[in-house]
Amino acid sequence: MFTSDTLKNKTILITGGGSGLGLEMAKKFASLGANLAICGRTESKLENGAKEIASEGDGQVETYVCDVRDYDRVDEMISEIVTDFGDMDGLVNNAAGNFLAASEDLTPGGFKAIVDIVLHGSFNCTHCFGNYLIDNERKGNVLSIVTTYAEDTGSAFVLPSACAKSGVLTMTRSLAYEWATYGIRLNAIAPGPFPTEGAWTRLVPDKSFEEKFLAKIPAGRYGEPDELANLATFLMSDMADYITGECVVIDGGEKLAAGQFNFIDQLAPREKLKGVFNAMKETNKQ
Ligand code: HXC
Ligand code: NAP
């Protein structure tokens, strides 16, 4: 589907691009011709990530120590990127924080930490980048990584993340309309579980939990980072130039669990179920 020049000459900032899914997207984008800027709070993580990214392509790779919660630093970083690369075309809001907690035990500081990283961080980056594009009459593209619980359901035990990710999705749709006139596109990806060290150390406490987690996915497996990176590539590329305000779920069907009769599959093996369905068909004929 992609050719080696799919993202040629595009300069893309991925927040939290030094690890996990951010790094996987960065490597894919680099292999398809993009120049990459990655930011995060930990310099060593960024330096290691940058080496991996650089080995995937010929484009420029730069790192920026930046806490996305700090608007002034984000604004400064966008200026630094434009100076270092000459321009900037895309932003992936990927940096996030999360932990499991009973909501009655959350401290205001715990709630604030996550909402600040996820919602304020995504706003800060989008706002600074958007203003750069508008001031310079350039087209651009913002992709935010949300979660499947950002829409419809929310989720128990990750309240700050659920609130913040919903906000990011709403920002995406609001600005997709408001900024279309400037040639700025905004989309989101809602991944189901993709094992990363960052997520698993904070959200998957033990083996039995892990088994239950996996059993909820109809596809019977977790997502592969490359699958997410391919989707992100498409949405960041000119092939998706007419797509804006969209949120694409990539979760092996996990989000569809609410389907009214879905539980039947867990009652018996499929062949046995078919026997029951056929018996009912015969009965109903009479
Ligand atoms: C309850 C906690 C907590 C925990 C921190 N806090 N960890 N509360 N349970 N496990 C509270 C602290 O008590 C403090 O509140 C406040 O949060 C800030 O804590 P700090 O340690 O100062 O925070 P900070 O250094 O800013 O670190 C942020 C962090 C940390 C989010 C807490 O985990 C982090 O750096 N995470 C980044 C990476 C990450 O989380 N990746 C996973 C993304 S996965 P008080 O009130 O005491 O001051 C994801 C996927 C979801 O989002 C979907 C999966 C399928
Ligand atoms: P991860 O490896 O923990 O990545 C998070 C990255 O964000 C890290 O590189 C981290 O680096 C950076 N970061 C955190 N706080 C930051 C801050 N304040 N400022 C700048 N950078 C910050 O997690 P992941 O699993 O790859 O998750 C990536 C994205 O996918 C997140 O948006 C997450 O919500 C989403 N997602 C993941 C899954 C999954 O199953 N893995 C599922 C659904 C959605 P530093 O700590 O060095 O700053």
Side-chain angles (χ1 to χ4, degrees):
M1 180 175 175
F2 303 125
T3 54
S4 58
D5 62 352
T6 293
L7 297 175
K8 192 84 192 152
N9 297 327
K10 289 201 187 298
T11 295
I12 299 172
L13 165 64
I14 303 184
T15 67
S19 70
L21 301 179
L23 179 56
E24 295 296 336
M25 286 186 277
K27 283 158 58 178
K28 171 68 73 174
F29 295 174
S31 76
L32 298 171
N35 301 314
L36 263 303
I38 56 171
C39 78
R41 296 166 299 174
T42 319
E43 192 162 13
S44 58
K45 208 188 274 186
L46 294 170
E47 293 307 327
N48 291 335
K51 280 189 200 129
E52 285 191 45
I53 298 163
S55 71
E56 296 287 334
D58 301 329
Q60 190 179 342
V61 184
E62 304 289 344
T63 63
Y64 302 85
V65 175
C66 171
D67 188 326
V68 294
R69 290 174 279 196
D70 179 345
Y71 187 95
D72 291 343
R73 174 63 192 127
V74 168
D75 203 25
E76 185 179 63
M77 172 176 65
I78 300 292
S79 300
E80 288 170 6
I81 291 170
V82 172
T83 302
D84 293 345
F85 291 86
D87 52 32
M88 183 173 161
D89 305 282
L91 161 69
V92 181
N93 287 314
N94 166 81
N98 208 346
F99 52 70
L100 287 179
S103 298
E104 60 272 29
D105 296 335
L106 277 171
T107 62
F111 187 85
K112 184 175 184 321
I114 303 302
V115 173
D116 275 357
I117 298 171
V118 175
L119 180 54
H120 291 260
S122 299
F123 167 77
N124 293 344
C125 294
T126 305
H127 195 248
C128 293
F129 177 49
N131 272 301
Y132 155 73
L133 293 172
I134 293 163
D135 289 348
N136 292 279
E137 297 184 9
R138 286 182 65 87
K139 284 175 69 173
N141 189 357
V142 179
L143 176 65
S144 294
I145 311 300
V146 296
T147 55
T148 48
Y149 53 69
E151 193 162 44
D152 304 333
T153 60
S155 177
F157 306 116
V158 286
L159 180 70
S161 170
C163 294
K165 293 286 191 182
S166 292
V168 173
L169 189 51
T170 297
M171 177 182 78
T172 299
R173 290 174 173 152
S174 305
L175 288 178
Y177 192 93
E178 187 176 338
W179 284 359
T181 187
Y182 299 122
I184 301 174
R185 296 194 293 119
L186 298 97
N187 291 293
I189 292 177
F194 284 70
T196 64
E197 196 189 333
W200 253 231
T201 51
R202 292 173 174 93
L203 300 170
V204 183
D206 60 37
K207 198 84 197 141
S208 67
F209 191 105
E210 162 105 26
E211 282 162 15
K212 286 244 188 293
F213 212 42
L214 190 55
K216 281 181 354 109
I217 306 169
R221 65 170 178 87
Y222 293 123
E224 297 287 341
D226 204 46
E227 293 173 313
L228 180 84
N230 280 330
L231 176 57
T233 299
F234 172 67
L235 289 172
M236 292 302 288
S237 76
D238 293 339
M239 285 183 272
D241 207 32
Y242 204 51
I243 301 178
T244 194
E246 194 53 66
C247 178
V248 183
V249 174
I250 175 166
D251 73 343
E254 187 197 30
K255 189 174 180 239
L256 303 174
Q260 189 134 51
F261 291 95
N262 291 359
F263 71 96
I264 291 178
D265 224 14
Q266 280 136 40
L267 298 179
R270 186 67 63 95
E271 283 312 309
K272 197 167 173 194
L273 290 172
K274 286 184 185 179
V276 175
F277 300 155
N278 284 332
M280 288 175 76
K281 186 176 174 188
E282 291 310 316
T283 310
N284 290 336
K285 273 187 196 159
Q286 291 157 17

